[in-house]
Amino acid sequence: MTEVESPYMSHPRILVLAVQPGTPPFRIVEIDGEMVGEARTVTDVLLVAAEWGIVVHDLDDPDVVRWVGGDKFTWTPRRR
């Protein structure tokens, strides 16, 4: 398979990890591979990004934000 045939994989600066149990539950936010904070709401993700000089226009753009273990609406831990 050549690079042209391979699927595109973006490398966004912002990575929002899966929900962690807590009171309240939270998600760890990484920017440029560095853990920079915790988010309890989507607004927290935007605030952390702004602190790092990143303006987010579209939270659904995979070139901007990668959501792991859910999307921008996932803020409670998954039941097993």
Side-chain angles (χ1 to χ4, degrees):
M1 178 184 285
T2 65
E3 284 184 11
V4 173
E5 296 172 325
S6 64
Y8 172 74
M9 185 66 141
S10 65
H11 296 284
R13 293 186 65 193
I14 303 169
L15 180 66
V16 183
L17 300 176
V19 178
Q20 302 298 309
T23 306
F26 64 94
R27 298 177 80 162
I28 295 171
V29 180
E30 292 183 1
I31 295 181
D32 297 333
E34 181 179 337
M35 189 186 98
V36 295
E38 297 176 356
R40 288 170 175 73
T41 66
V42 71
T43 304
D44 293 341
V45 174
L46 294 171
L47 290 172
V48 169
E51 289 174 10
W52 281 74
I54 302 169
V55 177
V56 178
H57 295 285
D58 183 0
L59 287 166
D60 294 319
D61 184 349
D63 289 330
V64 177
V65 181
R66 178 173 299 148
W67 299 92
V68 178
D71 60 13
K72 65 184 178 189
F73 299 112
T74 307
W75 294 98
T76 56
R78 293 184 178 183
R79 294 189 174 172
R80 296 179 188 233

